[in-house]
Amino acid sequence: MQKQPKDEFYVNLGLAVRTLREDMPLIFIKDLNYDIYRDDITFKDPLNTFTGIEKYKLIFWALRFHGKILFREVALDVYRVWQPSENVILIRWNLRGIPRVPWEAKGEFQGTSRYKLDRNGKIYEHKVDNLAFNFPQNIKQVSVLDLVTACPASPNPTFLWGPIDAYSSSSWIAFYKAVRETLDQEGSTLLQEGLATCS
């Protein structure tokens, strides 16, 4: 008996939710299960857009690689997984870590991942949004106006404590920049020679 299209959608949707619940907390330890994604998946964050499963794999390879280099401890906690509509999975998460610096430091980085599913229940878009940084208290206090103008409008709360220039020395921003540089250099000889792979 052949599966109906709606049955296939719900089977794949269930697999996607279960896989995301299992994969997300371990993104700094092991690679993801890419069976739930389409080959033409698009990844979006507030600054970038990448398309294709190979670039998507590279993003998570870069997170693991730079997470080990830049942090003594780094982990991602999943707070909530829910479906605001049939073809969308939303995950609220918190990234926390202790950077490799000679002074006492730790930080948190919260956000949401929105996954859109096609009619077959495969993920074709992953959007990271609503990023909130929790930095050490020595960052200068800012006004409510600074909070509003620091971020683009969003239907959900989005917080950046001060102008983006204030974060240039933060180890979290260094982490983001390191990941970004790895993605920009995806065709580098290091990757071409097979010394690092994202499979």
Side-chain angles (χ1 to χ4, degrees):
M1 185 172 166
Q2 191 173 8
K3 268 195 239 179
Q4 296 299 317
K6 217 49 177 161
D7 292 343
E8 182 179 0
F9 172 84
Y10 288 119
V11 167
N12 288 334
L13 169 65
L15 178 63
V17 170
R18 188 169 58 251
T19 301
L20 291 169
R21 276 185 206 265
E22 292 170 2
D23 282 358
M24 289 288 287
L26 302 174
I27 63 169
F28 292 100
I29 298 168
K30 68 179 192 82
D31 205 3
L32 306 179
N33 175 351
Y34 295 103
D35 294 340
I36 62 174
Y37 304 98
R38 285 193 346 197
D39 287 343
D40 63 346
I41 183 169
T42 298
F43 174 84
K44 297 179 179 181
D45 70 16
L47 301 175
N48 307 289
T49 300
F50 300 100
T51 300
I53 194 71
E54 293 308 316
K55 288 183 181 175
Y56 194 69
K57 289 177 181 181
L58 188 60
I59 290 165
F60 290 96
W61 173 86
L63 284 172
R64 286 190 308 279
F65 179 78
H66 291 294
K68 289 175 183 167
I69 290 173
L70 298 173
F71 292 90
R72 283 183 286 167
E73 293 178 27
V74 63
L76 188 129
D77 302 313
V78 173
Y79 286 156
R80 185 176 173 206
V81 179
W82 75 104
Q83 280 187 267
S85 63
E86 188 177 62
N87 66 336
V88 174
I89 301 168
L90 258 174
I91 299 180
R92 183 82 184 155
W93 46 262
N94 181 58
L95 175 64
R96 57 188 167 77
I98 301 173
R100 293 183 189 274
V101 291
W103 57 89
E104 187 70 29
K106 56 178 148 173
E108 293 186 355
F109 179 108
Q110 298 175 9
T112 57
S113 285
R114 179 183 302 266
Y115 298 89
K116 290 186 181 176
L117 294 95
D118 65 14
R119 65 181 181 203
N120 298 316
K122 293 284 190 175
I123 296 171
Y124 69 89
E125 183 181 283
H126 175 187
K127 183 177 182 184
V128 175
D129 201 2
N130 301 316
L131 302 178
F133 298 85
N134 297 319
F135 287 105
Q137 295 304 309
N138 61 359
I139 299 292
K140 70 178 182 86
Q141 296 297 315
V142 295
S143 70
V144 173
L145 182 60
D146 289 329
L147 297 177
V148 172
T149 58
C151 303
S154 169
N156 299 313
T158 303
F159 304 99
L160 279 178
W161 298 100
I164 195 69
D165 297 342
Y167 304 125
S168 60
S169 63
S170 162
S171 48
W172 291 105
I173 297 301
F175 177 58
Y176 177 82
K177 286 180 179 176
V179 171
R180 177 70 190 150
E181 286 171 13
T182 298
L183 293 170
D184 287 343
Q185 299 171 0
E186 70 176 87
S188 72
T189 55
L190 176 68
L191 292 176
Q192 288 174 356
E193 291 171 4
L195 296 175
T197 63
C198 59
S199 58

